[in-house]
Amino acid sequence: MQITIQRPTQIGGQMTRISTHSTSIIIDLGHNLPSNDDKDALDNDSTIAELTQGCSAILYTHYHGDHIGLFHRVPDSIPQYIGPVAKQIVCRKYQQLCCLPEKECSAAFKHAFRTASNMKIFQAKQTLHFGDIAITPYFVSHSAYDSYMFLIEAEGKKILHTGDFRGHGYLSKGLEATLKYFVGQVDVLIIEGTMLARPEEKVRTEMELCQEATKQMNVHKYSFIHCSSTDIERLASFKNANNRIIPKRALITDAFQKDILDLFSRTAGKQSSCFDFGQVFTYNEHNQKLKEWMITNGFTMFVRATPKFHSYLDHLLPILPATETLFIYSMWNGYITNGSTQNTEYIRLQEYFANNKILHLHTSGHATAEVLRKVCNLTNPRLAIIPIHREKSTDFKSIGISPSLQEKIITQDYSMEGIDVILAPTSHTRQ
Ligand SMILES: [Zn+2]
Ligand SMILES: [Zn+2]
């Protein structure tokens, strides 16, 4: 068996290929994050055709661009699989992008929309078979809904690929039981290590974040929230904070975000009221009645860093009392601090609120060192631990696992018991 991992020592842009003598599958086919490189050397049809050649299926852990971003370049002959709600989110996102005015992008977005629409879906805990490879998805909590880790069984070996995950979300509760009762001991653990480079970062639970938001929203009648538009748990934290306030305030947003929230209500919301967003209102500058109602009762608005929301803010902010208006930025700090990861559009959005209270309230979508250690201990890998999705400078040993597990950490090509691990050096994949 061969395990080949592209770009193991960077966050994002990974691809894991697992091949037996007769069959190959690929897990994730992600785009470089902007911080890694301006140009992604894999982002062209011929390289993707070469990398995916002879592959029976591509399975995506979740819909973040650094895991799915190159899906539109995959030849039609290779089936691609994703979670059922994740597929709907990807389709809705590309439907939105198809409507952008820039004509040169629209053909590419239309192609991506068609490819996403043709994706196949898998279900949690239902094993898929490709040749002599069996692969079972298990649900995990992450800043993308409908995310999975994969258990791969082939040639008598068990490999767990964690994808991106965390232990402090509302949906993390099943993690330990899943590992204990469904996964058990594995031969090889392929595990993300995003948080290794950020040991000082404050990691609150989603519940704690919700409580903090409630406090602030209680003393500010008008709240604008900038968070990921598809992170169900974060959106739920702010929705729940909003709904605790009496009299009840409306949730306002645009048609795209409303569609995503309605989708969450129809799916996860049926299993837990935590994810039922109830009635969500679409903002319309010309709807005077809605505007008056918002001003009288207060509201929470989910915003994004786009011209449409700039226009909303141009209309709304001048008529709202500055001291009663709150802006919450709820994403990674790296996007708004100076450096290669800074997003100027995010900064611009925040600048609209120069006269208002600005609050940075976030918690990571990734596992802490403590949770990574727990996963290593629960799966007790027999042969190898392969850290991926991490900064090059980090040392996976720092999570504090036992010396016998530390010896199994692999950071260069390695062969054992019929498994060849090939870690494609990051620098070789850059132009
Ligand atoms: Zn990722
Ligand atoms: Zn992710």
Side-chain angles (χ1 to χ4, degrees), residues 62 64 66-67 142 164:
H62 63 291
H64 280 159
D66 60 315
H67 295 258
H142 178 46
D164 289 356

Side-chain angles (χ1 to χ4, degrees), residues 291-321:
K291 226 190 283 185
E292 282 164 18
W293 183 59
M294 287 165 63
I295 292 165
T296 308
N297 294 301
F299 61 86
T300 293
M301 182 185 270
F302 290 116
V303 297
R304 298 192 304 284
T306 63
K308 184 204 289 180
F309 281 97
H310 294 165
S311 164
Y312 289 4
L313 296 173
D314 285 336
H315 280 87
L316 273 173
L317 287 177
I319 53 173
L320 298 177

Side-chain angles (χ1 to χ4, degrees), residues 15 20 27-28 53 56 83 107 127 130 140 160 164 178 226 236 243 245 322 340 344 355 360 362 364 371 382:
M15 162 189 167
T20 63
I27 296 173
D28 286 346
Q53 198 176 20
S56 296
T127 304
F130 303 100
V140 291
L160 183 70
D164 289 356
T178 298
H226 185 201
N243 288 0
I245 295 159
S340 60
T344 51
N355 298 324
H360 293 175
H362 180 56
S364 178
V371 172
R382 206 171 61 80

Side-chain angles (χ1 to χ4, degrees), residues 11-14 28 33 61-62 64-67 142-143 163-164 192 194 366 389:
I11 293 177
Q14 261 106 34
D28 286 346
L33 288 174
T61 56
H62 63 291
H64 280 159
D66 60 315
H67 295 258
H142 178 46
S143 44
D164 289 356
E192 73 127 312
T194 316
H366 297 278
H389 202 282

Side-chain angles (χ1 to χ4, degrees), residues 25 59 81 121-138 148-154 158 182-183:
I25 58 151
L59 298 103
Y81 289 77
I121 54 170
F122 52 70
Q123 304 288 345
K125 295 183 188 163
Q126 291 188 12
T127 304
L128 298 162
H129 295 270
F130 303 100
D132 59 354
I133 299 179
I135 177 160
T136 312
Y138 291 103
Y148 296 87
M149 52 172 64
F150 292 126
L151 178 67
I152 302 105
E153 293 167 279
K158 279 170 78 174
F182 292 95
V183 176

